[in-house]
Amino acid sequence: MIISKSFNSWLIEPNILNDLTPFEEDKIFREAIVNSLIHREYSNAYVAKMVIGKDKVVFENANRPHNYGEIDPNNFEPFPKNPTISKLFREIGLADELGSGVKNMYKYSKLYGGSDPKLVEEDIFRTTVLLQSDTPQATEQVTEQVIKKFCSKPKSTTEIMEHLGLKHREHFRSSILKPLLEKGVLMLTIPNKPNSPKQRYITKR
């Protein structure tokens, strides 16, 4: 697989699946690369690519189409192209059940760029992720909007983290939850007992 940026190309190091970015929100890239490895048509010599542009990232991969055209996540039937490889990735914790890749691409793309990805299945499978901005501030703004919408009804810390695809509780509490409480974006449902196990968070109206 090749990553292309401007006129430079690099081979992906083995640990890139775990170290692509420092932010949990950026799992979109790991998800796209894992999907490429699992669903690739290995009899085709076409080189898999991750092309980084100013406003988008495009993933290209050799494919054996089950259907042709843009994938609609609401009307999508998953098809196992490489069952043995899929099983391996599930066993090492880099993949979930069949069809989860498309769902995760839509989930993480919203967090990263604020919009849905474009998945087009042809002889070359193309995934396009739009970039809202390359600044941390933009990523924070997108995350804030996602949380505000999700917390229209009271949610626990665990529920919010699961919705965002986050696992590191302390990072979430200090870097995301606390700033939103201080800014008045969220409010406590039990304000006099902030550490209550029954504590929930709701968007301030």
Side-chain angles (χ1 to χ4, degrees):
M1 179 177 287
I2 293 176
I3 296 181
S4 300
K5 184 174 183 180
S6 298
F7 298 100
N8 299 317
S9 297
W10 306 270
L11 288 177
I12 289 184
E13 298 295 334
N15 65 350
I16 197 167
L17 293 177
N18 294 319
D19 299 326
L20 267 174
T21 63
F23 302 107
E24 289 287 344
E25 294 92 328
D26 297 347
K27 284 183 178 179
I28 181 72
F29 295 105
R30 189 183 75 175
E31 192 70 32
I33 291 174
V34 168
N35 287 343
S36 294
L37 293 172
I38 290 177
H39 299 297
R40 176 174 175 78
E41 174 51 57
Y42 285 94
S43 64
N44 189 323
Y46 186 85
V47 177
K49 300 174 183 176
M50 174 182 173
V51 183
I52 304 174
K54 184 176 181 180
D55 59 350
K56 63 184 177 182
V57 178
V58 180
F59 300 86
E60 297 182 352
N61 194 39
N63 183 47
R64 185 173 69 253
H66 181 57
N67 291 300
Y68 284 85
E70 187 169 350
I71 290 178
D72 179 356
N74 298 315
N75 187 26
F76 168 67
E77 295 183 6
F79 180 76
K81 296 177 180 177
N82 295 302
T84 302
I85 296 176
S86 297
K87 181 180 179 181
L88 171 63
F89 274 83
R90 287 197 301 272
E91 289 178 349
I92 63 177
L94 289 176
D96 299 314
E97 72 276 4
L98 182 65
S100 63
V102 169
K103 296 177 183 177
N104 287 336
M105 286 297 297
Y106 272 80
K107 175 181 178 180
Y108 296 134
S109 184
K110 282 280 192 182
L111 290 174
Y112 189 83
S115 60
D116 290 333
K118 184 176 182 180
L119 312 178
V120 180
E121 182 168 22
E122 295 177 345
D123 291 332
I124 301 300
F125 195 105
R126 288 183 175 83
T127 299
T128 302
V129 178
L130 298 179
L131 307 179
Q132 186 179 64
S133 172
D134 58 1
T135 63
Q137 289 81 4
T139 301
E140 292 172 7
Q141 290 170 4
V142 172
T143 302
E144 179 177 321
Q145 292 302 315
V146 171
I147 293 176
K148 284 177 65 177
K149 183 176 180 180
F150 183 66
C151 291
S152 58
K153 294 183 179 180
K155 303 293 182 182
S156 67
T157 298
T158 300
E159 288 173 323
I160 300 172
M161 290 179 63
E162 288 179 351
H163 185 67
L164 296 176
L166 305 180
K167 294 182 179 179
H168 304 293
R169 182 174 289 265
E170 289 306 314
H171 168 75
F172 169 73
R173 293 181 67 89
S174 62
S175 301
I176 299 177
L177 185 58
K178 183 179 178 181
L180 292 179
L181 289 169
E182 292 176 345
K183 288 168 60 177
V185 175
L186 297 179
M187 57 187 298
L188 304 176
T189 56
I190 312 176
N192 59 329
K193 295 182 179 180
N195 296 320
S196 170
K198 296 182 179 180
Q199 186 65 260
R200 298 293 184 270
Y201 305 90
I202 188 169
T203 301
K204 189 173 183 179
R205 302 183 186 283

